[in-house]
Amino acid sequence: MAGVTLRSKTITSLFWSFFERIGQQAIQFIIAIILARLLAPAEFGLIAMLTIFMAVAQAFIDSGFGSALIQKQDTTHLDECSIFYFNIAVGVFAAVILCLAAPLIASFYNMPLLTRLTRVLSLNLVINSFGLIQTVLLSKRVDFKSQLKASLIATFLSGILGIAMAYRGYGVWSLVAQSLSQNLLCIGLLWFFLRWRPSLIFSFDALRSMFSFGSRLLFSGLLETVFQNIYLVVIGKIFSPVELGFYSRAKHSVDLPVTSVAGSVSRVMYPVFSAIQSDKDQLKRGLKKALTSMALLNFPVMIGLAVVAKPLVLILLTDKWLPCVPYLRLLCFVGLLYPLHLINLNVLKAQGRSDLFLRLEILKKILVVIAIVITYRWGISALIMGQIAVSVLAYYLNSYYTGRLLQYHFFEQIMDVAPLFLISVLMGCIVYAITFFAFESHVLLLISQVGVGSILYISLCYFFKNASFMAVMDKVMPEPRRH
């Protein structure tokens, strides 16, 4: 019964988590299209220059204690309150540091406007520090329905504000207002939906009990955050804000579907994996199902996006964004393996092996530095090709310890997802061939490519009787199709 209950709870949670991400990303996608039409690429480039600084500061606010709270099975109200107050203190401290460092950041990029932008955006750190416990507790309870409502409402209302300000000519400040209002609304709604309230209690001993696990995740998270955004720093420093704007728009377009798939599955599977951490066989089965399920969704989306990149950009963003198409196509191959990275790392965290997690992060970041040093002189496209090479090597490294812990090694994982990759590539080649036919408009070309690609992918999965696809079909059409 326990297994059935966990399975049912996991499926329900995956549903709400997936629809939260899809809903939020869909709204953000529409808002981003409108803003991209109203604003110049250079204005997006200015915000992209600050992304790494905001992201690193945000990683400090979590401090690894959020993940530690999920992984720990016997948490108390004292633990929760201690982490709550600690996060607020770190949030305020990080915001002050950023405000003081703002002139240095502006000087680094030789962009005076960044001083004011940095100081205003640092308010996000204080705002977000009030919401970590709510998010962690909802995730630990595998309650993503409340997070769905909060994120959708906040994203929609903040998007309306951003669009209105962009239309009135506020330029880059419309993006700042959108960011601040979205975080403020989301945190306020999480407090409304979750009735947890802090007591006036605090214990350093409570923090210390989770420090060993959390501190390694903090350092790992900082490394991941820095190196996830390091290309924005390199491109922003070496190239112009316009070029950075093109790169950041391409990256955002790839991140949108990737995080919808990977993020929604990952944040459900981590607490689920943590709950079954002592059952290695069940954990291996869960990992295998998660990997193949994410490949089933992500592979065709990434390869399909690479194929339709040009008409998609022309239709949605207009020809002023056309230079981002080559970057978009290459970044799709970086995003191809990202969900598989994430799910392997979740297993390590669920097993409490933050030491291995940290070791992996350090090794992978060394590879990133080597790739940047080798490729930066040949331009942005070369930098992205370096990312692709690192992604392949990093997947081998991420699956190495999973293989040792669960006897589910790299080549076995590759063999499980390879059929879906080959089907997706075949679909992509046929869809790309459609571009050689004469179409009256880019809209008609895009509709034809998406329609043919979708039907073809489903047909190929059915023809080859792919196990993951057939499992989905069994859930969608259980018994009737067998009679």
Side-chain angles (χ1 to χ4, degrees):
M1 284 297 293
V4 174
T5 303
L6 181 63
R7 191 182 307 115
S8 174
K9 193 173 183 181
T10 302
I11 292 170
T12 303
S13 302
L14 278 170
F15 173 84
W16 287 114
S17 178
F18 185 71
F19 274 93
E20 183 213 344
R21 288 299 176 109
I22 288 291
Q24 184 182 23
Q25 299 285 21
I27 295 171
Q28 284 182 337
F29 181 63
I30 295 168
I31 291 167
I33 290 170
I34 299 172
L35 288 172
R37 287 173 169 266
L38 293 171
L39 301 173
E43 290 169 320
F44 284 92
L46 286 170
I47 297 297
M49 288 176 176
L50 298 178
T51 300
I52 189 169
F53 302 103
M54 297 300 164
V56 167
Q58 185 61 48
F60 268 111
I61 293 173
D62 180 357
S63 304
F65 286 121
S67 295
L69 203 60
I70 292 176
Q71 199 270 342
K72 188 178 180 182
Q73 298 297 301
D74 56 346
T75 54
T76 65
H77 188 59
L78 178 61
D79 293 331
E80 296 161 359
C81 291
S82 300
I83 292 174
F84 175 76
Y85 291 120
F86 178 79
N87 286 334
I88 292 175
V90 173
V92 172
F93 177 75
V96 170
I97 294 297
L98 263 184
C99 287
L100 295 174
L104 297 175
I105 295 171
S107 176
F108 175 78
Y109 288 114
N110 196 27
M111 292 284 169
L113 179 59
L114 290 180
T115 299
R116 282 187 294 155
L117 287 174
T118 303
R119 286 172 174 166
V120 175
L121 281 170
S122 68
L123 291 173
N124 271 331
L125 304 175
V126 180
I127 295 168
N128 290 339
S129 67
F130 280 85
L132 177 73
I133 287 295
Q134 278 70 16
T135 302
V136 166
L137 292 179
L138 287 171
S139 297
K140 188 162 187 173
R141 297 172 190 179
V142 206
D143 175 9
F144 295 97
K145 186 177 180 180
S146 298
Q147 295 182 62
L148 167 66
K149 292 186 285 188
S151 64
L152 288 186
I153 294 170
T155 301
F156 177 75
L157 294 178
S158 63
I160 295 297
L161 175 62
I163 291 168
M165 289 184 66
Y167 183 77
R168 295 295 297 271
Y170 283 91
V172 69
W173 292 103
S174 59
L175 299 174
V176 174
Q178 180 196 7
S179 175
L180 288 171
S181 60
Q182 181 177 347
N183 286 320
L184 188 60
L185 284 167
C186 189
I187 298 303
L189 288 166
L190 287 176
W191 275 74
F192 176 76
F193 291 132
L194 181 67
R195 294 302 178 180
W196 181 91
R197 296 295 181 265
S199 302
L200 292 175
I201 52 176
F202 181 86
S203 169
F204 280 109
D205 288 334
L207 294 178
R208 197 176 297 115
S209 68
M210 290 178 279
F211 180 77
S212 177
F213 180 83
S215 61
R216 295 192 189 103
L217 287 186
L218 167 62
F219 193 59
S220 300
L222 286 173
L223 279 176
E224 178 64 19
T225 300
V226 169
F227 282 89
Q228 239 183 14
N229 297 284
I230 196 169
Y231 286 92
L232 297 176
V233 177
V234 173
I235 294 169
K237 179 64 177 174
I238 298 175
F239 303 95
S240 68
V242 175
E243 285 294 320
L244 179 57
F246 290 137
Y247 174 84
S248 66
R249 176 50 43 200
K251 188 174 187 301
H252 177 75
S253 299
V254 172
D255 287 347
L256 200 68
V258 168
T259 54
S260 295
V261 176
S264 57
V265 174
S266 172
R267 65 187 185 144
V268 171
M269 296 315 297
Y270 175 46
V272 170
F273 285 165
S274 295
I276 59 172
Q277 57 186 273
S278 57
D279 188 339
K280 297 291 182 69
D281 291 334
Q282 189 178 359
L283 196 55
K284 179 180 177 178
R285 290 193 299 270
L287 171 60
K288 184 171 184 175
K289 186 171 290 187
L291 285 175
T292 52
S293 297
M294 286 196 284
L296 179 70
L297 290 170
N298 194 55
F299 284 0
V301 170
M302 286 295 98
I303 291 174
L305 182 59
V307 171
V308 305
K310 185 175 181 179
L312 186 69
V313 168
L314 286 171
I315 293 166
L316 298 180
L317 304 177
T318 72
D319 56 0
K320 72 178 179 181
W321 289 96
L322 203 54
C324 80
V325 170
Y327 308 152
L328 175 54
R329 284 175 170 160
L330 288 171
L331 285 167
C332 285
F333 292 95
V334 179
L336 201 67
L337 292 176
Y338 179 74
L340 309 187
H341 290 289
L342 207 57
I343 202 68
N344 272 283
L345 292 175
N346 272 334
V347 170
L348 285 184
K349 288 199 295 181
Q351 290 279 288
R353 297 306 306 266
S354 57
D355 56 331
L356 299 180
F357 192 101
L358 176 58
R359 191 182 303 171
L360 280 172
E361 291 307 304
I362 294 172
L363 186 55
K364 288 184 294 184
K365 291 352 171 196
I366 293 172
L367 292 176
V368 172
V369 172
I370 293 171
I372 291 174
V373 170
I374 293 173
T375 59
Y376 80 92
R377 67 199 72 188
W378 289 294
I380 296 175
S381 293
L383 281 167
I384 301 174
M385 284 188 275
Q387 289 184 56
I388 296 171
V390 169
S391 178
V392 174
L393 291 172
Y395 181 58
Y396 173 78
L397 294 173
N398 285 334
S399 61
Y400 175 75
Y401 285 115
T402 307
R404 286 181 56 184
L405 290 171
L406 302 181
Q407 299 304 305
Y408 187 34
H409 298 281
F410 170 76
F411 291 107
E412 188 179 352
Q413 291 188 25
I414 290 296
M415 292 304 294
D416 283 337
V417 300
L420 290 165
F421 176 73
L422 294 174
I423 290 171
S424 299
V425 169
L426 179 57
M427 177 271 295
C429 291
I430 295 172
V431 169
Y432 182 75
I434 296 174
T435 59
F436 294 104
F437 293 92
F439 284 88
E440 294 180 0
S441 68
H442 294 296
V443 174
L444 190 57
L445 171 60
L446 181 62
I447 292 173
S448 300
Q449 287 181 307
V450 173
V452 170
S454 301
I455 294 170
L456 191 59
Y457 182 71
I458 292 171
S459 301
L460 288 170
C461 284
Y462 185 80
F463 178 78
F464 289 108
K465 303 296 181 186
N466 178 264
S468 299
F469 176 79
M470 299 309 292
V472 172
M473 291 297 291
D474 283 336
K475 293 188 183 299
V476 175
M477 297 185 298
E479 292 299 325
R481 70 188 185 93
R482 296 197 184 102
H483 296 309

